[in-house]
């Protein structure tokens, strides 16, 4: 038997020998526009204006990074020659279409990132062949609908991110096939209706993010389909009431977030069927009173900050329950005046005056005045008689969801006669030259109003009169060049105003000052050319300000601030020739600053000092930067988490050792000149445990080398040897070595 075995082994070796060089050659293939790390089987082709997937990529590649290109269409079997891929990054590639079978052959893929593209739909079989996929990123696209079965081939998927899209409705079985999904992100959409079976087929779901949508009421039966849900995020939705009748039944729920909505009342048994609820977040609502909660016996944390809590006699049961159930609470009293600002957790029931106590009568009158209900709008005659609910002839009015819509009906004037309890009104894609005064009578409960693509040129003064509950107003894609000072009066609770893609040449500051609750202002893609002092002052609640894609050449000091709550400021894709440092004064809470796509050219000393103690994310990519002063980022310290400097004209830049807590720094797409002038940057980058994307463009012998790894290029620089010697331990003398041996 020994002979035949030996012959078989020799034949096997002869068959394998030709594969050795071929295997090695395949591993060495690398397109000219890419950076290839063969030992780790990584290929990066970022920001190269590629219009298709390069065809010279080694078939052994496991990670492929194509972000920032111009692919637009992913054709069928686009990656069929890369069967070993586990990670594929297609962010910011302007993708508009994923063809059916685009990813067939990628049976080993674990992560697919399609975020920040232009997808408005996904074909039924677009994701076929991804049976091992564990994470799918679709954030920041333009998806308007999901078809049942779209994700049916993704049986191993654990995380699905659909945040920041344009979803309005979730159909039944939208996520069929996702038997292992644990986290579903649907935040920052326009969801107003969830079908009763929308979440069926998600038996393992542990976390659901639905914050920043337009849900008018708690969809309890739909949410209860996810039986093992542990964390539910529903903040920034315009709920006004939650009760037991909403039908929320989640036996494993531990964290429930209902923050920053419009809650005015909460039933004592609202969460009676959530017995394991541990943390309830009700911050930033309109709750004046709260009953002791029945059912969630494990509740330990109740967050109530930002509610106008009434700390009179009526609040005694709440205080007694908090103490008895050992629930920690962080709310503060809004009234009566005697206790305004007092921490709820520091009060005792005896601190609250009840009838018979001194001063109780005056406080009781104060309570009655504050709690006096507004008269409801009169019912339409048909409705009062029990007849069919009113609805304009060309429209559809759904009583269950309290939504009314006349989208794309060719209407020439705003119709009237909608049900008085309408909460969402969709009038987009009609032809209204103007919205007249008091155009929406009897709609005092309206929360969301859609007027996009209507050819609007004017809102008359008082057009929104009577819309006291309005929170969302969509005026995008019209012909508005300005707003009258009184155009927005009558909607004091308006929080989200969408004015993008109109014809504004200046910020309509006078009109905006009628909106004390304005939270988010969208003015992208207009024709604003400068911001003058006072343009955006008088908006105390403003958190997000979007001015991207205008023609702004100047932002004067005092144009934005003081804005004590502003967190996001987007000034990207304008014509600023310098950082508007003076305009950043008075923004103590700013977290994110977008300046990419401006012709900045240089960053002077202290450019961001006014926001140094708050800023976390700074975007300066594609800004024509040629020079950065050594102290340009002075004042920015451990708070900064991400710095984007890619696709500039930097040949050199200083080290930034004070930015000690960076989680991301992107320097790709810069023509760095790797000579001794770049030595401080090289040393600093070597100390970072981050991928930075910085690549040498010169001198010729260094072209394509990574700045962080190009140590040999700097070894002849003055001071290199001294620094190296300083790091090495001093040699021991011969006498000392003899003593050590002894």
């Amino acid at each position: 038997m020994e002979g035949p075995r030996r012959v078989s082994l020799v034949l096997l070796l002869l068959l394998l020998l030709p594969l050795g060089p071929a295997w090695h050659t395949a591993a060495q293939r690398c397109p000219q526009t890419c950076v290839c790390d063969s030992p780790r089987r990584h290929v990066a082709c970022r920001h190269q204006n590629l219009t298709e997937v390069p065809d010279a990529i080694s078939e052994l590649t496991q990670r492929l990074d194509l972000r920032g290109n111009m692919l637009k269409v992913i054709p069928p079997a686009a990656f069929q020659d890369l069967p070993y891929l586990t990670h594929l990054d297609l962010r910011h590639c302007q993708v508009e279409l994923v063809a059916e079978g685009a990813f067939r052959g990628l049976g080993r893929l674990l992560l697919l990132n399609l975020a920040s593209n232009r997808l408005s739909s996904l074909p039924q079989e677009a994701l076929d062949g991804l049976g091992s996929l564990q994470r799918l990123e679709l954030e920041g696209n333009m998806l308007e609908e999901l078809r049942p079965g779209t994700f049916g081939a993704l049986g191993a998927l654990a995380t699905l991110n659909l945040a920041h899209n344009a979803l309005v409705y979730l159909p039944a079985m939208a996520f069929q096939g996702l038997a292992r999904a644990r986290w579903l992100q649907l935040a920052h959409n326009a969801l107003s209706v969830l079908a009763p079976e929308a979440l069926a087929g998600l038996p393992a779901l542990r976390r659901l993010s639905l914050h920043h949508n337009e849900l008018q009421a708690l969809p309890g039966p739909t949410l209860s389909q996810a039986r093992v849900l542990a964390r539910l995020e529903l903040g920034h939705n315009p709920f006004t009431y939650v009760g037991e009748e909403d039908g929320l039944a989640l036996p494993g729920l531990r964290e429930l977030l209902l923050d920053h909505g419009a809650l005015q009342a909460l039933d004592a048994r609202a969460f009676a069927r959530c017995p394991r609820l541990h943390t309830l977040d009700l911050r930033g609502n309109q709750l004046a009173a709260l009953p002791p909660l029945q059912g969630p016996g494990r509740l330990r944390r109740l967050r109530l900050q930002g509610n106008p809590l009434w700390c009179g006699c009526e609040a005694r049961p709440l205080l007694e329950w908090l103490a008895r159930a050992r629930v920690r609470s962080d709310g503060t009293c809004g009234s009566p005046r005697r206790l305004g600002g007092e921490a709820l957790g520091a009060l005792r029931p005896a601190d609250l005056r009840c009838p018979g106590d001194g001063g109780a009568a005056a406080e009781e009158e104060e309570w009655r005045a504050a709690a006096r209900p507004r008269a409801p709008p009169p019912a339409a005659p048909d409705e009062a008689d029990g007849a069919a609910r009113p609805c304009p002839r060309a429209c559809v009015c759904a009583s269950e969801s309290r939504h009314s819509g006349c989208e794309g009906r060719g209407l020439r004037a705003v119709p009237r006669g909608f049900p008085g309890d309408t909460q969402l009104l969709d009038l987009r894609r009609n032809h209204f030259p103007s919205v007249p005064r008091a155009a929406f009578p009897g709609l005092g409960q309206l929360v969301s109003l859609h007027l996009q693509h209507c050819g609007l040129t004017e809102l008359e003064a008082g057009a929104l009169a009577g819309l006291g509950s309005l929170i969302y107003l969509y005026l995008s894609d019209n012909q508005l060049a300005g707003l009258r000072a009184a155009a927005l009066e009558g909607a004091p609770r308006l929080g989200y105003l969408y004015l993008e893609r109109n014809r504004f040449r200046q910020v309509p500051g006078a009109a905006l000052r009628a909106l004390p609750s304005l939270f988010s202002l969208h003015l992208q893609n207009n024709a604003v050319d400068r911001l003058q002092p006072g343009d955006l002052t008088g908006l105390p609640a403003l958190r997000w300000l979007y001015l991207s894609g205008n023609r702004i050449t100047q932002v004067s000091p005092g144009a934005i601030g003081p804005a004590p709550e502003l967190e996001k400021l987007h000034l990207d894709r304008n014509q600023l020739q310098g950082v508007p440092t003076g305009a950043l004064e008075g923004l103590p809470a700013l977290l994110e600053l977008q300046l990419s796509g401006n012709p900045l050219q240089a960053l002077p000393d202290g450019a961001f000092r006014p926001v140094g103690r708050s800023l976390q994310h700074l975007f300066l990519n594609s800004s024509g930067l040629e020079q950065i002063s050594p102290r340009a980022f002075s004042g920015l310290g451990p708070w900064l988490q991400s710095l984007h400097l890619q696709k500039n004209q930097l040949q050199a830049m200083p080290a930034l050792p004070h930015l000690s807590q960076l989680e991301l720094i992107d320097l790709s797409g810069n023509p760095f000149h790797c000579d001794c002038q770049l030595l401080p940057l090289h040393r600093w980058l070597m100390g970072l445990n981050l991928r930075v994307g910085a690549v040498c463009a010169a001198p010729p012998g260094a072209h394509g080398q990574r700045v962080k790894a190009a140590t040999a290029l700097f070894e002849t620089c003055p001071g290199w040897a001294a620094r190296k010697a300083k790091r090495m331990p001093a040699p021991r003398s011969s006498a000392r070595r003899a003593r050590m041996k002894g």
Side-chain angles (χ1 to χ4, degrees), residues 57 219 321 481 507 551 599 634:
I57 299 173
W321 170 71
V507 175
R551 304 170 186 171
S634 62

Side-chain angles (χ1 to χ4, degrees), residues 423-487:
Q423 294 188 342
L424 185 147
L425 178 57
D426 190 347
L427 296 170
R428 73 183 98 177
R429 299 187 187 280
N430 285 289
H431 306 286
F432 310 138
S434 68
V435 178
R437 178 179 177 80
F440 307 97
L443 295 181
Q445 298 182 44
L446 192 66
V447 173
S448 183
L449 175 59
H450 295 256
L451 289 164
Q452 307 99 302
H453 294 281
C454 285
L456 282 172
T457 59
E458 181 186 27
L459 261 69
E460 292 185 8
L464 307 180
L467 301 185
S469 298
L470 193 67
I471 293 176
Y472 302 90
L473 176 59
Y474 297 86
L475 292 166
S476 320
D477 298 288
N478 282 293
Q479 308 294 320
L480 294 167
L483 288 174
R484 297 169 181 260

Side-chain angles (χ1 to χ4, degrees), residues 103-115:
F103 304 108
R104 283 188 187 134
L106 297 184
R108 303 186 186 193
L109 199 68
L110 303 176
L111 167 64
L112 174 58
N113 198 330
L114 281 162

Side-chain angles (χ1 to χ4, degrees), residues 212 236 260-262 264 284-286 306 308 374 447 467-473 488-498 509-522 536-545 565-566:
H212 290 90
H236 296 272
H260 298 94
Q264 298 174 13
N285 281 285
Q286 301 298 316
R374 297 177 183 175
V447 173
L467 301 185
S469 298
L470 193 67
I471 293 176
Y472 302 90
L473 176 59
L488 301 176
E489 289 183 356
R493 294 181 60 196
L494 191 69
Y496 298 81
L497 178 59
Y498 296 84
L512 296 176
R513 281 188 275 280
L515 305 175
S517 303
L518 189 63
F519 183 96
S520 180
L521 174 60
H522 295 253
L536 286 156
T537 55
L539 302 174
L542 191 64
R543 293 278 185 90
W544 303 336
L545 175 57
E565 301 294 328
L566 193 68

Side-chain angles (χ1 to χ4, degrees), residues 295-533:
R298 299 189 185 182
L299 193 68
R300 292 295 175 267
R301 184 79 188 274
L302 179 62
R303 308 198 66 181
L304 290 168
Q305 279 289 2
N307 284 282
L309 296 173
W310 172 264
C311 294
C313 184
E314 295 79 1
R316 272 192 180 179
L318 174 64
L319 280 186
E320 292 168 351
W321 170 71
L322 290 173
R324 184 173 63 252
R326 298 181 180 179
V327 176
R328 287 184 296 132
S329 174
D330 57 4
T332 56
C333 300
S335 51
R337 286 183 290 270
R338 177 178 62 88
L339 294 175
E342 290 288 331
L344 190 66
L347 296 176
R348 297 167 301 171
D351 295 327
L352 311 184
R353 290 176 179 169
C354 285
D357 299 339
E363 286 190 5
E364 185 69 18
E365 182 55 35
E366 188 181 340
W367 162 252
R368 287 175 181 167
R372 190 171 291 128
R374 297 177 183 175
D382 290 348
E383 199 173 352
D385 297 335
R389 289 161 57 85
C391 190
R393 181 175 298 174
C395 306
V396 176
C397 304
S399 58
E400 232 178 77
S401 61
R402 290 182 280 186
H403 291 184
S404 299
C406 324
E407 180 183 355
R409 301 300 173 94
L411 300 174
R412 299 285 176 176
V414 177
R416 301 195 174 202
F418 293 100
D421 63 352
T422 297
Q423 294 188 342
L424 185 147
L425 178 57
D426 190 347
L427 296 170
R428 73 183 98 177
R429 299 187 187 280
N430 285 289
H431 306 286
F432 310 138
S434 68
V435 178
R437 178 179 177 80
F440 307 97
L443 295 181
Q445 298 182 44
L446 192 66
V447 173
S448 183
L449 175 59
H450 295 256
L451 289 164
Q452 307 99 302
H453 294 281
C454 285
L456 282 172
T457 59
E458 181 186 27
L459 261 69
E460 292 185 8
L464 307 180
L467 301 185
S469 298
L470 193 67
I471 293 176
Y472 302 90
L473 176 59
Y474 297 86
L475 292 166
S476 320
D477 298 288
N478 282 293
Q479 308 294 320
L480 294 167
L483 288 174
R484 297 169 181 260
L488 301 176
E489 289 183 356
R493 294 181 60 196
L494 191 69
Y496 298 81
L497 178 59
Y498 296 84
L499 295 169
E500 63 264 44
R501 293 181 297 279
N502 276 279
R503 297 182 176 182
F504 289 96
R505 294 192 174 185
Q506 60 186 32
V507 175
L512 296 176
R513 281 188 275 280
L515 305 175
S517 303
L518 189 63
F519 183 96
S520 180
L521 174 60
H522 295 253
L523 269 166
Q524 307 99 301
N525 300 104
N526 277 279
V528 178
D529 60 4
R530 63 185 59 206
L531 299 182
Q532 303 283 19

Side-chain angles (χ1 to χ4, degrees), residues 124-182:
Q124 196 77 10
E125 299 178 8
L127 302 171
D128 276 10
L130 299 175
S132 298
L133 196 69
Q134 295 181 9
R135 181 175 159 195
L136 176 58
E137 296 286 339
L138 289 165
E139 180 181 9
N141 278 279
M142 302 159 63
L143 294 171
E144 296 182 355
E145 65 171 328
L146 297 177
R147 300 174 187 174
T150 298
F151 308 108
L154 308 181
L157 198 71
T159 299
L160 175 58
N161 188 352
L162 287 160
H164 291 277
N165 276 279
L167 298 172
V168 176
Y169 170 69
L170 285 186
M173 306 305 291
F175 306 103
Q176 185 177 12
L178 301 183
R180 298 185 186 177
R182 294 176 61 83

